[in-house]
Amino acid sequence: MPIDFYSKLVNASGVYTFRDFVLLPGRSDIEPSKVDISTNLTKSVRLNLPLVSSPMDTVTEAEMAIALARQGGIGVIHRNMPIEEQVENAKRVKRAESFIIRDVVTITPSDRVSDAMELMQKKSISGLPVVGTDERLTGILTRRDVNFANPNESIIDVMTKEVVCAGPEVTIEEAKRLMHKQKIEKLPVIDQNKKLLGLITIKDVYSRERFPFAARDTQGRLLVGAAISPHDVDRAKALEKYVDVLVSDVAHFHNVNVLSSSKKLVKEIATDFIAGNIGTIEATKDTIDALDGRVDGIRAGVGSGSICVTSEVTKAGAPTLFAVSQIAVALQEAKMSLPIIADGGIRAAGDGALALAAGASAVMMGNVFAGCTESPGGLIKIGGKYYKPYRGMGSSGSRQRRFAMDRYNQPAKGIAEGVEGVVPYRGDVQTVVEEFSGGLRASFGYAGAISIRDLWVKAKFGAITAAGIDELRPHSIILPGEEKI
Ligand code: XMP
């Protein structure tokens, strides 16, 4: 059978990127402030904001994940570190806030004051429930109790014995009311036999009020994801107890070895699993088939990342906007409803709106979040301006840390697939997210859509030319800082 080389070339389908389209303004009665941008990251994980930070070593560790979850999104902890360190990062996010702390640090009545002081300092906590060998709560010890006590005294002699407690069904409002009334900062939660079930702190109660849109699990803890290689079952198993979602971190998921490893992996874990990255209809079908329904979301886009040289080097790529629409089409054909996460190349809210309009449920960003205070790495001053480091996980710098090697540096590849540099410092996550979500809401307002699902239905795309791109941004004006003498 002769190969039709000519047709392959001239009948190639169009592959489009964010810069090829605009969202056409539609009939609208939507106030941007009324738009609901909450979304599903996976079949079961719900976010209040469709933003995800990339698992990259200059983007997401615990600090970024905490800050983003407080705004309603989620961070995916990178895997360019030993398993224990990645687990510790996830635990830090889970410990950052919770309505009822379940793994309470306690002390026994026969311990000494010096033991309590040491424990408080080591764990950075200011109060310890006192629990006897029968697991029943017998008192509470706060800094006030130990401050002027003799270090050799027994806890039983200095603790507060009359403890104000709450039952397991207590609501946040009841807890707050009780703590205000009794002027206490810690409220132990007990069952009818006085067995300690947990602890509520005033700090966590206030934090819930400060961040009302935070993305939380059923226990009130912040949501967090972690990146894994589908080949690394040990890492996945170590992480699954502490994260809400495991995210495949593979440049080319549509690879038979990766698919078969993923098939084995999903049988071993109970946590939600996001597959990716992929970018074609065929890859979506093969992913669904291989995982036999055990996939909860798909990461879309190959080669669009701002630090990628994959496509430049290999000429292989499925730009994010194209990838999203391919996956959306394939899922619809398969009558499956799975969240798509648009990953790579999103520079501003408008790109995010286009990705959502094309069928995505959330957008993942590296570059934008790398410029935030909460990303790893310090500020760099260049010519009077501030920057932060940013690098691809396939860059030589990242690859020198061996844990990312399997994504971009298989011996067979042996080429750098990412670059490293700096990005402008943008301020803290809250500021960046507010600006981004304001832009998204405005786009929804123009499109006449009240929610992401509504945008999928109502959005109309306009294909744009290079001349159009030039016209649709500030032109014929000299902006401050661009003056040439
Ligand atoms: P942005 O555009 O937000 O993209 O910077 C972030 C996404 O890029 C992917 N990524 C890479 N892709 N070589 C690549 O080809 C790399 O070294 C690399 N590092 C990250 C990844 O999907 C990320 O979320």
Side-chain angles (χ1 to χ4, degrees):
M1 177 82 166
I3 304 169
D4 187 354
F5 290 109
Y6 182 73
S7 297
K8 276 194 194 215
L9 202 60
V10 296
N11 295 333
S13 58
V15 173
Y16 24 87
T17 71
F18 291 117
R19 256 134 291 285
D20 295 322
F21 289 96
V22 289
L23 265 187
L24 294 177
R27 183 187 162 89
S28 178
D29 59 354
I30 304 294
E31 280 301 319
S33 61
K34 300 277 181 311
V35 173
D36 172 12
I37 49 174
S38 65
T39 193
N40 268 64
L41 175 75
T42 66
K43 281 185 217 160
S44 58
V45 175
R46 188 91 194 137
L47 302 178
N48 289 322
L49 183 79
L51 302 185
V52 186
S53 64
S54 295
M56 299 171 74
D57 60 9
T58 46
V59 182
T60 312
E61 290 181 357
E63 208 182 330
M64 169 62 64
I66 291 170
L68 188 51
R70 282 183 170 152
Q71 299 306 315
I74 192 169
V76 182
I77 309 282
H78 73 86
R79 64 186 175 96
N80 206 7
M81 55 175 114
I83 295 177
E84 309 73 54
E85 204 178 318
Q86 199 183 11
V87 168
E88 190 46 43
N89 269 273
K91 282 186 178 173
R92 268 188 61 202
V93 183
K94 287 294 176 197
R95 275 198 306 256
E97 280 175 29
S98 60
F99 171 41
I100 301 179
I101 303 164
R102 299 286 170 182
D103 54 347
V104 188
V105 181
T106 59
I107 195 144
T108 66
S110 56
D111 282 327
R112 316 245 136 225
V113 167
S114 55
D115 299 323
M117 289 168 105
E118 203 184 311
L119 201 55
M120 284 170 164
Q121 189 165 9
K122 196 163 142 224
K123 303 271 181 186
S124 308
I125 45 179
S126 58
L128 295 166
V130 184
V131 174
T133 40
D134 54 1
E135 292 184 40
R136 281 153 56 103
L137 184 79
T138 52
I140 191 160
L141 194 79
T142 65
R143 275 212 193 281
R144 253 183 305 170
D145 298 320
V146 295
N147 268 350
F148 301 102
N150 178 337
N152 289 324
E153 263 179 291
S154 289
I155 300 293
I156 194 159
D157 297 327
V158 296
M159 70 185 191
T160 305
K161 295 194 176 88
E162 295 293 310
V163 192
V164 181
C165 295
E169 308 301 331
V170 66
T171 65
I172 188 149
E173 288 74 26
E174 284 164 0
K176 191 178 156 195
R177 220 176 304 125
L178 201 57
M179 291 166 102
H180 276 185
K181 193 165 156 225
Q182 302 287 342
K183 298 193 174 45
I184 51 172
E185 296 189 349
K186 308 237 179 296
L187 183 65
V189 179
I190 53 170
D191 67 11
Q192 66 272 43
N193 300 319
K194 282 196 90 180
K195 188 175 161 218
L196 183 70
L197 301 176
L199 184 71
I200 300 171
T201 72
I202 198 77
K203 183 176 127 270
D204 286 337
V205 170
Y206 286 149
S207 179
R208 278 182 87 94
E209 288 177 353
R210 237 179 99 205
F211 303 109
F213 296 110
R216 299 177 192 279
D217 62 20
T218 47
Q219 294 179 37
R221 302 172 305 176
L222 298 171
L223 296 185
V224 63
I228 49 153
S229 153
H231 303 302
D232 194 350
V233 179
D234 290 345
R235 188 175 286 263
K237 291 210 67 80
L239 281 160
E240 69 165 335
K241 285 195 285 298
Y242 307 103
V243 299
D244 302 280
V245 57
L246 289 168
V247 181
S248 158
D249 193 32
V250 182
H252 185 38
F253 192 84
H254 195 197
N255 163 301
V256 287
N257 287 332
V258 175
L259 287 172
S260 80
S261 289
S262 302
K263 184 177 180 158
K264 289 188 201 128
L265 178 95
V266 292
K267 288 188 186 136
E268 299 274 334
I269 55 169
T271 322
D272 279 6
F273 177 69
I274 294 180
N277 285 37
I278 57 170
T280 62
I281 289 179
E282 296 73 37
T284 315
K285 287 183 179 158
D286 288 348
T287 299
I288 296 168
D289 286 350
L291 300 186
D292 209 10
R294 258 300 273 123
V295 54
D296 306 283
I298 299 185
R299 205 173 153 190
V302 179
S304 282
S306 60
I307 31 48
C308 297
V309 280
T310 303
S311 295
E312 199 175 66
V313 173
T314 64
K315 273 290 169 191
T320 301
L321 189 65
F322 169 80
V324 167
S325 80
Q326 289 266 299
I327 298 168
V329 166
L331 288 176
Q332 213 157 33
E333 275 172 16
K335 299 199 171 18
M336 278 185 83
S337 160
L338 272 188
I340 303 170
I341 297 94
D343 173 22
I346 292 146
R347 305 181 203 189
D351 296 335
L354 280 174
L356 295 173
S361 290
V363 300
M364 179 179 271
M365 300 188 293
N367 190 310
V368 168
F369 288 124
C372 294
T373 317
E374 294 85 347
S375 67
L379 283 177
I380 301 165
K381 195 171 180 186
I382 307 172
K385 291 195 175 142
Y386 287 100
Y387 298 86
K388 288 209 70 169
Y390 184 43
R391 65 185 185 190
M393 294 301 285
S395 64
S396 59
S398 272
R399 288 184 307 142
Q400 273 163 22
R401 290 171 73 174
R402 67 194 170 88
F403 302 97
M405 282 178 68
D406 47 348
R407 177 167 175 149
Y408 293 107
N409 193 27
Q410 285 142 358
K413 285 198 190 172
I415 42 160
E417 290 194 38
V419 291
E420 45 190 309
V422 295
V423 290
Y425 173 58
R426 292 171 179 262
D428 60 13
V429 164
Q430 181 167 356
T431 311
V432 170
V433 162
E434 276 167 9
E435 190 186 318
F436 205 95
S437 55
L440 276 185
R441 290 171 187 283
S443 297
F444 279 55
Y446 275 110
I450 190 73
S451 65
I452 294 177
R453 191 161 281 279
D454 199 27
L455 186 70
W456 293 347
V457 179
K458 296 203 176 128
K460 291 200 176 71
F461 292 90
I464 192 149
T465 61
I469 294 174
D470 202 40
E471 188 175 304
L472 293 185
R473 63 177 183 208
H475 55 89
S476 315
I477 177 170
I478 297 162
L479 297 170
E482 290 180 354
E483 312 93 339
K484 290 210 175 67
I485 305 160

